[in-house]
Amino acid sequence: MTAVALAPSARPKGSVANRIDRVFDRWSMIVYTLLAVIYLLLPVAVIILFSFNDPPGKTNVVWHGFTLKYWLNPFGPDGLGSAVVLSITIAILSTLIATVLGTLMALALERYQFRGKSFANSLIFIPMATPEIIMGASLLTMFVSIGQPPFFPLNFVTILIAHIMFNISYVVVTVRARLAGFPRHLEEAAMDLFANEWQTFWRVTFPLILPGIVAAALLAFSLSIDDFVITNFTSGMSVTFPMYIYGAARIGIPVQVNVIGTSIFLIAVGSVALTTLAGRRKRG
Amino acid sequence: MGTFLKHHRWITPLALLAPGLLWLLVFYLYPALQMFMASFWSGSLATGFTFSLSNWTNYPDAVSTYAPIYLRSVLYAGAATVTTFLIAYPLAYTIAFKGGRFKNLLLFLVVAPFFTSFLLRTVSWKIILSDSGPVLGPLKAIGILPQQFHVLASPMAVIAGITYAFLPFMTLPIYVALEKVDFRLVEAAKDLYAGPWRPGGAIVGAIVGGVLMAVLGFVFNTSPLAFAIVGAVVGAVLFHFRVSESFVRVTFPLSISGVFAGGLLTFIPAIGDYVNAELLGGPNTSMIGNVIQAKFLTENDYPSASALSFVMMFGVLIVVAIYAKILGTEELSAAAARA
């Protein structure tokens, strides 16, 4: 720590107490951080480990032995494959739509002054401060009260509507953060060089905020694919991957669920690692 | 076109804003109002619901029946928020100030759990904490814990589950706040002879350690007093020697906005959570989310469920308003200090 080196120290540097102090200071923090990381990742390790388990019955909670057979047959159980496909479809569609809508809103809020701006700001903030169960429940109430009976059918469409809704706010916040530190003089330079507003946007502004948009889209995708609570209220008979896990939790979760969970984890970690490396190479 | 836009400058922001805003109005705000209306319904799904203001009694009925469960939810969510803070603060501090070249890796590891399913992680805790699982099994085998000891289906399991689930929500805002702390201020404090925090450190350490261990004593069904005394002594010694005055007077106050933000981000999802209570808890650990969920999805009792939801939302809004007030004044005072 430079502070210690710079500050006039009352104690002599090499004293035993001082040395113990420094060693403790250093190691206590390293050990603590290590323990915290182990705590955070322990359940993930269990998910991965139990994707190789070979339980005799339906419940996959006790270690019985190593097998690869579930990795070779990941969509074995009935309905698991279609649940994964539904989750991915909804995640892709809701990410696309929410990212477009949210980016436009972020541009409006960051670039323009207009009446009703604070209302727009609060309408974007409040969904993030609302417990998921409230959003799910109120959507359900609305769908039920539209034309009762027959009720508005709860299916793919209602899940998609809900996912776009809760994703918009996160996209706006993420893109705005990128726009806030935007070098405006680059746009002015482009305009000085006779680019019109449209050209300036696509050639200067958009490439510069693209990392923010990509980050927002990744966030939206991960929120959507893992959402359980709001989906539980809006899905009707449709089954997404989290809904499948919830339904199976009572009777015993098939090993294949761990296989898919592990795959999602590895793909996510891999893509983050790749984008980081790519970013480093570009800069370096 | 160009001149038209120049004469009507308000059109561009409105056109950019309209689609998203409309989506939030129609699928966030309107359903919320619809649910408010539903709390004044009577009837059933089969016969259809009718709205009448005289059904305001839905509120006192629901609240009086479920008051203990509301209280329990607030307690569990509050306890989980405090534990996440206690775990997250030292973690965020270490990453921010001692992370060095491992900073980004450590931050990545903090959010890495989000890359797997929330439900699967909760189920994992069920495996880890099961009665004869990898943690309790060996402890029982060597006789540290009695055979009938269990963690699952207890309040501790639910609070621990919530703590785990939302730990990154607490860690990241605190990290962001600490990252912004100008370390020259800490150095200045040290130059001005800020030393160890005495006697405050010993006192605060004794209180924190004592309370924490007393709670643990209750949980393990042994003597809370003995636990509290041990905790108080350890806490006092630890804080006396390890917490410096510069931290208490400079670093911590500068990071308080992160603590508040993290607290809000943890408490809100925690109060509405029902997955941890359902998967890790037992019949006596139901939270208000479990009740609302069951009423909406299995009993189809929309009026009472809507009333319960609205009471919860109202509570959350009060917390948010208080926070906005505190954080707002916080920002104001920071701005004033800069000026």
Side-chain angles (χ1 to χ4, degrees), chain A residues 152-208:
Chain A
F152 194 91
L154 295 174
N155 54 27
F156 175 82
V157 179
T158 49
I159 305 176
L160 187 61
I161 286 173
H163 283 215
I164 294 169
M165 184 271 289
F166 71 69
N167 269 335
I168 287 179
S169 305
Y170 289 97
V171 173
V172 175
V173 170
T174 314
V175 177
R176 270 190 92 167
R178 179 83 192 180
L179 273 168
F182 190 87
R184 290 298 287 270
H185 59 267
L186 292 180
E187 289 175 342
E188 285 154 19
M191 302 281 251
D192 284 349
L193 296 167
F194 304 106
N196 62 31
E197 292 195 10
W198 193 246
Q199 289 167 324
T200 309
F201 178 79
W202 284 111
R203 303 245 176 112
V204 180
T205 317
F206 184 73
L208 279 169

Side-chain angles (χ1 to χ4, degrees), chain B:
Chain B
M1 185 72 190
T3 45
F4 177 77
L5 279 179
K6 276 202 182 92
H7 284 285
H8 302 82
R9 300 227 107 200
W10 51 270
I11 282 187
T12 322
L14 191 74
L16 292 172
L17 212 51
L21 214 54
L22 210 63
W23 201 281
L24 291 178
L25 282 172
V26 175
F27 298 118
Y28 175 81
L29 202 60
Y30 176 69
L33 294 174
Q34 183 66 59
M35 191 166 71
F36 184 62
M37 304 282 278
S39 66
F40 291 92
W41 280 353
S42 58
S44 71
L45 197 61
T47 59
F49 295 104
T50 43
F51 175 88
S52 162
L53 276 181
S54 64
N55 290 324
W56 65 273
T57 46
N58 284 344
Y59 279 89
D61 287 352
V63 172
S64 60
T65 316
Y66 295 104
I69 297 190
Y70 273 116
L71 186 67
R72 186 190 289 153
S73 304
V74 173
L75 272 173
Y76 285 8
T81 307
V82 172
T83 11
T84 41
F85 165 71
L86 291 174
I87 299 173
Y89 200 96
L91 181 62
Y93 186 91
T94 314
I95 299 175
F97 293 131
K98 316 273 162 158
R101 62 204 170 92
F102 297 114
K103 209 178 251 183
N104 283 333
L105 177 69
L106 287 169
L107 282 175
F108 175 69
L109 291 176
V110 168
V111 296
F114 286 147
F115 293 139
T116 48
S117 160
F118 163 57
L119 287 168
L120 273 182
R121 274 180 283 136
T122 315
V123 171
S124 283
W125 279 114
K126 204 173 172 170
I127 297 176
I128 297 166
L129 298 175
S130 63
D131 294 353
S132 49
V135 178
L136 298 188
L139 288 176
K140 284 179 183 175
I142 53 173
I144 290 180
L145 292 173
Q147 281 303 320
Q148 74 276 15
F149 181 83
H150 63 96
V151 176
L152 292 180
S154 72
M156 183 170 69
V158 180
I159 294 171
I162 297 175
T163 302
Y164 174 78
F166 304 123
L167 185 58
F169 291 164
M170 182 69 95
T171 312
L172 292 181
I174 296 179
Y175 166 80
V176 170
L178 282 171
E179 173 84 312
K180 282 191 208 136
V181 171
D182 186 346
F183 212 77
R184 283 173 305 180
L185 291 175
V186 180
E187 284 167 19
K190 286 194 172 140
D191 285 350
L192 294 168
Y193 300 105
W197 186 28
R198 285 167 191 159
I203 297 168
V204 172
I207 295 171
V208 171
V211 170
L212 273 182
M213 288 302 278
V215 170
L216 264 188
F218 269 115
V219 167
F220 282 90
N221 252 331
T222 46
S223 156
L225 188 67
F227 266 65
I229 292 170
V230 174
V233 170
V234 173
V237 170
L238 211 62
F239 272 59
H240 185 76
F241 288 107
R242 301 310 320 165
V243 178
S244 64
E245 213 172 356
S246 59
F247 172 77
V248 177
R249 289 186 197 273
V250 180
T251 316
F252 188 72
L254 286 174
S255 67
I256 202 83
S257 65
V259 175
F260 276 125
L264 198 65
L265 284 178
T266 309
F267 186 78
I268 289 176
I271 193 90
D273 182 77
Y274 61 91
V275 172
N276 284 290
E278 170 139 353
L279 294 177
L280 302 174
N284 297 321
T285 60
S286 290
M287 292 173 69
I288 196 66
N290 300 74
V291 176
I292 293 174
Q293 193 252 170
K295 277 187 177 292
F296 266 118
L297 296 175
T298 52
E299 297 164 30
N300 292 326
D301 183 2
Y302 293 97
S304 145
S306 301
L308 287 171
S309 305
F310 242 85
V311 172
M312 187 217 273
M313 188 66 211
F314 192 69
V316 169
L317 282 180
I318 289 176
V319 174
V320 172
I322 294 172
Y323 261 77
K325 186 119 189 150
I326 295 173
L327 277 182
T329 48
E330 195 70 31
E331 302 255 316
L332 275 182
S333 57
R338 240 172 276 141

